[in-house]
Amino acid sequence: MATSGSVTVTDADYLRILIHGTTAFELLRTGLEFGLFERLEESGGMDLPQVAAALGVREQPARVLLLGLTSLFLLEKQGEKYVNAPMTRRKLLRAGPRFLGELVDIQAKIINAGMADFAESVRRDTNVGLRHIDGPGTTLYERITAHPHLQEVFYANMGNASRKAFIQILDLYDFSAARHVIDIGGGDGTNSVELAKRYPKLEVTVFDQESVTELAAQRIADPDLRKRVHFHAGDLLTDALPEGADTILFFHIFEIWSLERNVELLRRCHAALPAGGVCLIYNFTSNDEGTGSMSAGLLSPYFLTLASGEGMVYSPDDMERAIRDAGFSRVDRYQNLGFSHALVVGHK
Ligand SMILES: C[S@@+](CC[C@H](N)C(=O)[O-])C[C@H]1O[C@@H](n2cnc3c(N)ncnc32)[C@H](O)[C@@H]1O
Protein backbone atom coordinates (compact mmCIF):
# COMPACT_ATOMS: atom_id res chain seq x y z
CA MET A 1 0.00 0.00 0.00
CA ALA A 2 1.31 3.49 -0.80
CA THR A 3 0.33 6.61 1.12
CA SER A 4 1.92 10.03 0.92
CA GLY A 5 5.60 9.62 1.87
CA SER A 6 5.55 5.90 2.68
CA VAL A 7 5.00 2.49 1.16
CA THR A 8 3.88 -0.44 3.31
CA VAL A 9 4.72 -3.95 2.15
CA THR A 10 4.47 -7.36 3.80
CA ASP A 11 7.67 -9.21 4.78
CA ALA A 12 7.09 -11.56 1.87
CA ASP A 13 6.81 -8.70 -0.65
CA TYR A 14 9.82 -6.93 0.87
CA LEU A 15 11.90 -10.07 0.32
CA ARG A 16 10.45 -10.35 -3.19
CA ILE A 17 11.71 -6.85 -4.00
CA LEU A 18 15.17 -7.84 -2.73
CA ILE A 19 15.31 -11.14 -4.57
CA HIS A 20 13.79 -9.78 -7.77
CA GLY A 21 15.70 -6.50 -7.36
CA THR A 22 17.14 -6.62 -10.87
CA THR A 23 13.65 -6.98 -12.33
CA ALA A 24 12.24 -4.18 -10.17
CA PHE A 25 15.13 -1.94 -11.25
CA GLU A 26 14.59 -2.76 -14.94
CA LEU A 27 10.86 -2.03 -14.70
CA LEU A 28 11.62 1.41 -13.29
CA ARG A 29 14.47 2.08 -15.72
CA THR A 30 12.36 0.99 -18.70
CA GLY A 31 9.56 3.33 -17.62
CA LEU A 32 12.14 6.14 -17.67
CA GLU A 33 13.70 5.04 -20.98
CA PHE A 34 10.30 5.16 -22.72
CA GLY A 35 9.38 8.47 -21.12
CA LEU A 36 6.27 6.71 -19.79
CA PHE A 37 5.94 8.84 -16.66
CA GLU A 38 6.06 12.09 -18.65
CA ARG A 39 3.54 10.75 -21.16
CA LEU A 40 1.11 9.74 -18.43
CA GLU A 41 1.49 13.10 -16.74
CA GLU A 42 0.99 15.13 -19.91
CA SER A 43 -2.08 13.12 -20.97
CA GLY A 44 -3.72 13.05 -17.54
CA GLY A 45 -3.61 9.21 -17.65
CA MET A 46 -3.95 6.58 -20.39
CA ASP A 47 -5.50 3.14 -20.77
CA LEU A 48 -3.57 0.13 -22.07
CA PRO A 49 -4.15 0.67 -25.83
CA GLN A 50 -3.23 4.36 -25.45
CA VAL A 51 -0.03 3.51 -23.56
CA ALA A 52 0.95 0.90 -26.17
CA ALA A 53 0.34 3.41 -28.98
CA ALA A 54 2.21 6.20 -27.16
CA LEU A 55 5.23 3.95 -26.54
CA GLY A 56 5.09 2.46 -30.07
CA VAL A 57 5.00 -1.11 -28.72
CA ARG A 58 2.48 -3.96 -28.77
CA GLU A 59 -0.19 -4.20 -26.08
CA GLN A 60 1.16 -7.42 -24.51
CA PRO A 61 4.61 -5.99 -23.55
CA ALA A 62 2.97 -2.69 -22.57
CA ARG A 63 0.71 -4.69 -20.26
CA VAL A 64 3.73 -6.42 -18.67
CA LEU A 65 5.36 -3.04 -18.03
CA LEU A 66 2.19 -1.45 -16.62
CA LEU A 67 1.45 -4.43 -14.37
CA GLY A 68 5.00 -4.39 -12.98
CA LEU A 69 5.07 -0.64 -12.34
CA THR A 70 1.62 -0.68 -10.75
CA SER A 71 2.56 -3.64 -8.51
CA LEU A 72 5.57 -1.58 -7.35
CA PHE A 73 3.29 1.38 -6.48
CA LEU A 74 4.88 3.65 -9.10
CA LEU A 75 1.63 3.83 -11.08
CA GLU A 76 -1.97 3.76 -9.94
CA LYS A 77 -5.08 2.69 -11.84
CA GLN A 78 -8.13 4.94 -11.95
CA GLY A 79 -10.88 3.10 -13.84
CA GLU A 80 -9.16 1.91 -17.03
CA LYS A 81 -6.53 4.66 -16.88
CA TYR A 82 -3.00 4.41 -15.51
CA VAL A 83 -1.67 7.52 -13.75
CA ASN A 84 1.56 8.39 -11.92
CA ALA A 85 1.65 7.77 -8.15
CA PRO A 86 2.60 10.86 -6.08
CA MET A 87 6.19 9.60 -5.48
CA THR A 88 6.61 9.10 -9.23
CA ARG A 89 5.54 12.70 -9.75
CA ARG A 90 8.09 13.91 -7.21
CA LYS A 91 11.06 11.77 -8.16
CA LEU A 92 10.68 10.24 -11.63
CA LEU A 93 9.52 13.18 -13.75
CA ARG A 94 12.40 15.04 -15.38
CA ALA A 95 10.93 18.37 -14.35
CA GLY A 96 10.16 17.14 -10.81
CA PRO A 97 11.87 18.67 -7.77
CA ARG A 98 13.82 15.53 -6.80
CA PHE A 99 14.35 13.72 -10.14
CA LEU A 100 16.37 10.52 -9.67
CA GLY A 101 17.05 9.79 -13.35
CA GLU A 102 20.81 10.45 -13.14
CA LEU A 103 21.10 7.99 -10.25
CA VAL A 104 19.22 5.34 -12.23
CA ASP A 105 21.54 6.02 -15.18
CA ILE A 106 24.78 5.56 -13.22
CA GLN A 107 23.42 2.36 -11.65
CA ALA A 108 22.51 0.98 -15.08
CA LYS A 109 25.62 2.05 -17.01
CA ILE A 110 28.42 1.93 -14.43
CA ILE A 111 27.53 0.18 -11.17
CA ASN A 112 25.16 -2.77 -11.60
CA ALA A 113 27.40 -5.07 -13.67
CA GLY A 114 30.23 -4.82 -11.14
CA MET A 115 27.99 -5.39 -8.12
CA ALA A 116 27.68 -9.06 -9.08
CA ASP A 117 31.27 -9.29 -7.79
CA PHE A 118 30.39 -8.11 -4.27
CA ALA A 119 30.89 -11.52 -2.62
CA GLU A 120 34.28 -11.95 -4.28
CA SER A 121 35.22 -8.40 -3.26
CA VAL A 122 34.31 -9.20 0.36
CA ARG A 123 36.41 -12.37 0.15
CA ARG A 124 39.43 -10.69 -1.42
CA ASP A 125 39.03 -7.26 0.24
CA THR A 126 39.39 -5.43 -3.06
CA ASN A 127 37.29 -3.98 -5.89
CA VAL A 128 36.90 -7.09 -8.05
CA GLY A 129 33.91 -5.47 -9.83
CA LEU A 130 36.24 -3.02 -11.57
CA ARG A 131 37.15 -5.82 -14.03
CA HIS A 132 34.06 -4.81 -16.07
CA ILE A 133 35.58 -1.43 -16.98
CA ASP A 134 38.95 -1.33 -18.74
CA GLY A 135 41.38 1.57 -18.51
CA PRO A 136 44.20 2.93 -16.36
CA GLY A 137 44.62 2.64 -12.60
CA THR A 138 42.97 0.66 -9.84
CA THR A 139 40.00 2.92 -9.04
CA LEU A 140 36.78 3.64 -10.89
CA TYR A 141 37.74 7.34 -11.01
CA GLU A 142 40.88 6.56 -13.01
CA ARG A 143 39.22 3.94 -15.22
CA ILE A 144 36.38 6.19 -16.39
CA THR A 145 38.88 8.76 -17.69
CA ALA A 146 39.28 6.32 -20.62
CA HIS A 147 35.51 6.40 -21.31
CA PRO A 148 34.18 9.94 -21.89
CA HIS A 149 30.56 8.75 -22.09
CA LEU A 150 30.87 7.01 -18.70
CA GLN A 151 32.58 10.07 -17.26
CA GLU A 152 29.59 12.12 -18.42
CA VAL A 153 27.15 9.70 -16.73
CA PHE A 154 29.25 9.72 -13.53
CA TYR A 155 29.47 13.50 -13.20
CA ALA A 156 25.82 14.05 -14.24
CA ASN A 157 24.86 12.02 -11.16
CA MET A 158 27.64 13.31 -8.87
CA GLY A 159 27.03 16.95 -9.84
CA ASN A 160 23.30 16.59 -9.35
CA ALA A 161 23.67 14.93 -5.93
CA SER A 162 26.33 17.46 -4.84
CA ARG A 163 24.31 20.47 -5.99
CA LYS A 164 21.35 19.37 -3.85
CA ALA A 165 23.50 18.50 -0.83
CA PHE A 166 25.61 21.67 -1.13
CA ILE A 167 22.65 23.99 -0.55
CA GLN A 168 22.49 22.95 3.10
CA ILE A 169 26.23 23.63 3.56
CA LEU A 170 25.69 27.21 2.47
CA ASP A 171 22.99 27.58 5.13
CA LEU A 172 25.11 25.85 7.79
CA TYR A 173 28.63 27.16 7.42
CA ASP A 174 29.78 30.75 6.99
CA PHE A 175 32.67 31.04 4.54
CA SER A 176 32.97 34.83 4.83
CA ALA A 177 36.32 34.57 6.68
CA ALA A 178 37.79 32.38 3.90
CA ARG A 179 39.99 33.89 1.20
CA HIS A 180 41.10 30.88 -0.86
CA VAL A 181 39.46 27.46 -0.82
CA ILE A 182 40.92 24.25 -2.24
CA ASP A 183 38.35 21.70 -3.34
CA ILE A 184 40.17 18.35 -3.05
CA GLY A 185 38.85 15.86 -5.61
CA GLY A 186 36.51 18.65 -6.65
CA GLY A 187 35.11 16.70 -9.61
CA ASP A 188 33.19 18.70 -12.19
CA GLY A 189 33.48 21.80 -10.00
CA THR A 190 29.83 21.83 -8.92
CA ASN A 191 30.62 22.65 -5.26
CA SER A 192 33.33 25.19 -6.10
CA VAL A 193 31.12 27.03 -8.56
CA GLU A 194 28.19 27.22 -6.13
CA LEU A 195 30.55 28.49 -3.42
CA ALA A 196 32.17 31.10 -5.67
CA LYS A 197 28.72 32.30 -6.76
CA ARG A 198 27.64 32.80 -3.14
CA TYR A 199 30.91 34.51 -2.06
CA PRO A 200 31.87 37.02 -4.79
CA LYS A 201 35.40 37.71 -3.45
CA LEU A 202 36.41 34.11 -2.84
CA GLU A 203 39.11 32.32 -4.87
CA VAL A 204 38.55 28.58 -5.31
CA THR A 205 40.90 25.93 -6.70
CA VAL A 206 39.56 22.59 -7.91
CA PHE A 207 42.17 19.83 -7.49
CA ASP A 208 41.41 16.65 -9.45
CA GLN A 209 42.69 14.37 -12.19
CA GLU A 210 43.67 16.20 -15.39
CA SER A 211 40.77 15.09 -17.61
CA VAL A 212 38.32 15.94 -14.81
CA THR A 213 39.68 19.47 -14.34
CA GLU A 214 39.38 19.95 -18.13
CA LEU A 215 35.75 18.86 -17.93
CA ALA A 216 35.12 21.17 -14.99
CA ALA A 217 36.79 24.15 -16.70
CA GLN A 218 34.64 23.72 -19.82
CA ARG A 219 31.48 24.06 -17.73
CA ILE A 220 32.24 27.59 -16.56
CA ALA A 221 31.07 30.30 -18.95
CA ASP A 222 30.67 33.26 -16.60
CA PRO A 223 33.80 35.51 -16.96
CA ASP A 224 33.85 36.49 -13.27
CA LEU A 225 33.74 32.85 -12.18
CA ARG A 226 36.42 31.99 -14.73
CA LYS A 227 38.70 34.49 -12.98
CA ARG A 228 38.09 33.13 -9.48
CA VAL A 229 37.69 29.38 -10.01
CA HIS A 230 41.09 27.83 -10.74
CA PHE A 231 42.11 24.30 -11.65
CA HIS A 232 45.03 22.22 -10.48
CA ALA A 233 45.55 18.81 -12.08
CA GLY A 234 47.23 16.09 -10.06
CA ASP A 235 46.99 12.88 -8.10
CA LEU A 236 45.69 13.52 -4.62
CA LEU A 237 47.35 10.35 -3.32
CA THR A 238 50.85 11.24 -4.43
CA ASP A 239 51.15 14.89 -5.52
CA ALA A 240 51.64 17.92 -3.27
CA LEU A 241 48.46 19.83 -2.52
CA PRO A 242 48.17 23.28 -4.10
CA GLU A 243 49.46 25.97 -1.76
CA GLY A 244 48.01 29.22 -0.47
CA ALA A 245 44.57 28.16 0.78
CA ASP A 246 43.07 28.84 4.19
CA THR A 247 40.15 26.43 3.72
CA ILE A 248 40.01 22.90 2.31
CA LEU A 249 36.90 21.10 1.10
CA PHE A 250 37.08 17.32 1.46
CA PHE A 251 33.65 16.67 -0.06
CA HIS A 252 32.58 13.12 -1.00
CA ILE A 253 36.19 11.99 -0.72
CA PHE A 254 36.23 10.45 2.78
CA GLU A 255 33.89 7.62 1.67
CA ILE A 256 36.28 6.53 -1.04
CA TRP A 257 39.24 5.53 1.12
CA SER A 258 40.12 3.36 4.12
CA LEU A 259 40.21 5.16 7.48
CA GLU A 260 44.01 4.85 7.56
CA ARG A 261 44.36 6.48 4.15
CA ASN A 262 41.91 9.21 5.14
CA VAL A 263 44.01 10.06 8.21
CA GLU A 264 47.08 10.24 5.98
CA LEU A 265 45.30 12.49 3.43
CA LEU A 266 43.93 14.73 6.19
CA ARG A 267 47.42 15.03 7.72
CA ARG A 268 48.59 16.42 4.37
CA CYS A 269 45.62 18.83 4.37
CA HIS A 270 46.60 19.91 7.90
CA ALA A 271 50.21 20.50 6.78
CA ALA A 272 49.06 22.57 3.78
CA LEU A 273 46.96 24.95 5.91
CA PRO A 274 48.16 28.01 7.84
CA ALA A 275 47.39 28.32 11.57
CA GLY A 276 43.67 29.04 11.89
CA GLY A 277 42.94 27.24 8.59
CA VAL A 278 39.99 24.87 8.36
CA CYS A 279 39.25 21.56 6.67
CA LEU A 280 35.63 20.61 6.01
CA ILE A 281 34.71 16.94 5.54
CA TYR A 282 31.25 16.52 4.08
CA ASN A 283 29.66 13.35 2.78
CA PHE A 284 27.07 10.61 3.14
CA THR A 285 27.19 9.00 6.58
CA SER A 286 25.92 5.94 8.37
CA ASN A 287 24.62 6.31 11.90
CA ASP A 288 27.12 5.90 14.75
CA GLU A 289 25.53 2.57 15.79
CA GLY A 290 26.30 0.96 12.41
CA THR A 291 22.65 -0.01 11.80
CA GLY A 292 21.73 2.33 8.92
CA SER A 293 20.60 4.38 7.18
CA MET A 294 19.43 2.26 4.30
CA SER A 295 21.15 4.65 1.91
CA ALA A 296 24.45 4.12 3.80
CA GLY A 297 23.96 0.36 3.73
CA LEU A 298 23.23 0.29 0.02
CA LEU A 299 25.96 2.74 -1.01
CA SER A 300 28.83 1.16 0.93
CA PRO A 301 29.19 -2.00 -1.21
CA TYR A 302 29.80 0.25 -4.23
CA PHE A 303 32.97 1.67 -2.64
CA LEU A 304 34.30 -1.79 -1.82
CA THR A 305 33.28 -3.58 -5.03
CA LEU A 306 33.92 -0.89 -7.61
CA ALA A 307 35.04 2.60 -6.63
CA SER A 308 38.28 1.98 -4.75
CA GLY A 309 38.13 -1.41 -3.01
CA GLU A 310 38.64 0.16 0.39
CA GLY A 311 35.98 2.75 1.29
CA MET A 312 32.47 2.75 2.69
CA VAL A 313 29.91 5.18 4.06
CA TYR A 314 31.38 5.97 7.49
CA SER A 315 29.78 7.36 10.65
CA PRO A 316 30.27 10.90 12.01
CA ASP A 317 32.29 9.28 14.84
CA ASP A 318 34.71 7.88 12.24
CA MET A 319 35.01 11.28 10.57
CA GLU A 320 35.68 13.08 13.84
CA ARG A 321 38.27 10.51 14.98
CA ALA A 322 40.09 10.72 11.64
CA ILE A 323 40.30 14.51 11.61
CA ARG A 324 41.54 14.57 15.22
CA ASP A 325 44.12 11.83 14.45
CA ALA A 326 45.29 13.99 11.54
CA GLY A 327 46.22 16.76 13.99
CA PHE A 328 43.25 19.15 13.90
CA SER A 329 42.79 20.48 17.43
CA ARG A 330 39.26 21.86 17.49
CA VAL A 331 36.49 19.96 15.73
CA ASP A 332 32.88 21.02 15.04
CA ARG A 333 30.39 18.40 14.05
CA TYR A 334 27.01 18.77 12.32
CA GLN A 335 25.16 15.50 11.84
CA ASN A 336 21.71 14.20 10.91
CA LEU A 337 21.65 16.62 8.00
CA GLY A 338 19.48 16.13 4.93
CA PHE A 339 20.55 13.59 2.28
CA SER A 340 22.04 11.40 5.09
CA HIS A 341 25.02 13.79 5.22
CA ALA A 342 27.25 15.05 8.02
CA LEU A 343 29.75 17.91 8.13
CA VAL A 344 32.84 17.73 10.33
CA VAL A 345 35.04 20.83 10.48
CA GLY A 346 38.62 20.64 11.73
CA HIS A 347 40.41 23.84 12.82
CA LYS A 348 44.21 24.02 12.74
C1 LIG B 1 33.04 11.09 -5.51
S1 LIG B 1 33.78 12.28 -6.51
C2 LIG B 1 33.51 13.75 -5.57
C3 LIG B 1 33.48 15.00 -6.41
C4 LIG B 1 33.19 16.30 -5.63
N1 LIG B 1 34.09 16.50 -4.52
C5 LIG B 1 31.76 16.34 -5.16
O1 LIG B 1 31.53 16.38 -3.96
O2 LIG B 1 30.88 16.39 -6.02
C6 LIG B 1 35.48 11.93 -6.21
C7 LIG B 1 36.44 12.78 -7.01
O3 LIG B 1 37.76 12.46 -6.57
C8 LIG B 1 38.60 12.41 -7.69
N2 LIG B 1 39.73 11.53 -7.44
C9 LIG B 1 39.70 10.23 -7.09
N3 LIG B 1 40.93 9.73 -6.99
C10 LIG B 1 41.78 10.76 -7.29
C11 LIG B 1 43.18 10.90 -7.35
N4 LIG B 1 43.97 9.85 -7.07
N5 LIG B 1 43.70 12.09 -7.67
C12 LIG B 1 42.90 13.16 -7.94
N6 LIG B 1 41.55 13.10 -7.89
C13 LIG B 1 41.00 11.91 -7.57
C14 LIG B 1 37.73 11.86 -8.80
O4 LIG B 1 38.26 12.17 -10.08
C15 LIG B 1 36.38 12.50 -8.49
O5 LIG B 1 36.19 13.67 -9.22
Side-chain angles (χ1 to χ4, degrees):
M1 194 182 71
T3 56
S4 177
S6 69
V7 175
T8 312
V9 290
T10 60
D11 289 4
D13 274 348
Y14 176 68
L15 285 169
R16 268 185 197 104
I17 295 171
L18 297 185
I19 293 164
H20 299 273
T22 304
T23 307
F25 176 82
E26 285 305 328
L27 280 162
L28 187 160
R29 198 197 62 72
T30 301
L32 284 172
E33 182 181 317
F34 277 90
L36 173 62
F37 308 121
E38 264 82 22
R39 290 168 194 271
L40 289 176
E41 201 60 23
E42 283 155 15
S43 62
M46 290 189 275
D47 63 16
L48 171 62
Q50 288 171 325
V51 169
L55 302 191
V57 302
R58 302 192 57 170
E59 282 191 23
Q60 179 75 358
R63 192 174 162 190
V64 171
L65 179 61
L66 290 168
L67 171 63
L69 290 172
T70 310
S71 77
L72 290 171
F73 310 110
L74 294 174
L75 300 181
E76 291 172 359
K77 207 167 175 202
Q78 295 175 351
E80 288 306 306
K81 289 193 168 183
Y82 293 87
V83 296
N84 289 321
M87 77 173 133
T88 302
R89 273 193 200 108
R90 279 197 312 276
K91 303 207 172 183
L92 297 176
L93 290 176
R94 281 174 179 74
R98 300 288 279 266
F99 182 56
L100 293 174
E102 287 92 355
L103 179 59
V104 172
D105 225 24
I106 191 175
Q107 290 292 142
K109 295 181 180 151
I110 298 183
I111 298 177
N112 287 355
M115 287 316 298
D117 291 317
F118 177 55
E120 196 55 18
S121 299
V122 168
R123 207 169 282 119
R124 288 167 46 189
D125 189 17
T126 189
N127 49 346
V128 179
L130 198 58
R131 70 191 172 93
H132 299 273
I133 301 172
D134 57 20
T138 56
T139 66
L140 175 65
Y141 312 101
E142 294 161 285
R143 290 276 166 100
I144 57 170
T145 60
H147 303 273
H149 63 293
L150 293 186
Q151 222 177 7
E152 218 171 279
V153 169
F154 179 88
Y155 286 105
N157 176 60
M158 191 72 238
N160 184 39
S162 288
R163 202 168 300 109
K164 289 176 186 160
F166 195 69
I167 293 168
Q168 66 187 356
I169 280 287
L170 290 175
D171 292 337
L172 201 66
Y173 188 83
D174 182 4
F175 286 87
S176 45
R179 200 181 38 77
H180 189 168
V181 173
I182 294 181
D183 187 1
I184 304 268
D188 70 353
T190 297
N191 296 325
S192 286
V193 166
E194 294 303 316
L195 190 59
K197 276 191 203 159
R198 175 65 77 94
Y199 291 90
K201 294 212 169 92
L202 196 63
E203 303 279 324
V204 187
T205 299
V206 177
F207 178 35
D208 208 300
Q209 303 180 88
E210 186 162 13
S211 72
V212 182
T213 55
E214 283 165 7
L215 197 90
Q218 282 165 20
R219 292 181 59 244
I220 304 179
D222 177 44
D224 170 52
L225 288 177
R226 273 177 170 276
K227 267 191 230 144
R228 293 187 295 116
V229 180
H230 316 285
F231 299 93
H232 186 105
D235 185 331
L236 65 84
L237 297 180
T238 53
D239 292 340
L241 301 182
E243 290 181 357
D246 47 43
T247 303
I248 292 180
L249 304 187
F250 205 78
F251 280 19
H252 303 112
I253 300 300
F254 196 83
E255 303 123 316
I256 299 174
W257 312 110
S258 68
L259 286 173
E260 296 73 22
R261 201 190 294 272
N262 274 313
V263 172
E264 182 48 39
L265 287 170
L266 291 167
R267 266 196 198 116
R268 290 174 47 215
C269 292
H270 185 268
L273 285 168
V278 288
C279 178
L280 287 80
I281 313 178
Y282 183 58
N283 40 246
F284 290 96
T285 44
S286 68
N287 58 28
D288 285 321
E289 297 76 37
T291 55
S293 63
M294 198 179 279
S295 94
L298 292 176
L299 195 52
S300 290
Y302 153 77
F303 291 104
L304 172 64
T305 310
L306 199 61
S308 63
E310 60 179 72
M312 67 178 287
V313 177
Y314 295 105
S315 69
D317 273 352
D318 290 319
M319 292 160 70
E320 180 169 349
R321 211 173 303 118
I323 203 158
R324 286 192 189 282
D325 287 352
F328 288 88
S329 48
R330 201 184 102 218
V331 176
D332 303 323
R333 176 165 155 169
Y334 309 81
Q335 62 188 83
N336 301 321
L337 305 177
F339 307 100
S340 299
H341 272 52
L343 169 68
V344 170
V345 184
H347 300 255
K348 178 166 173 177

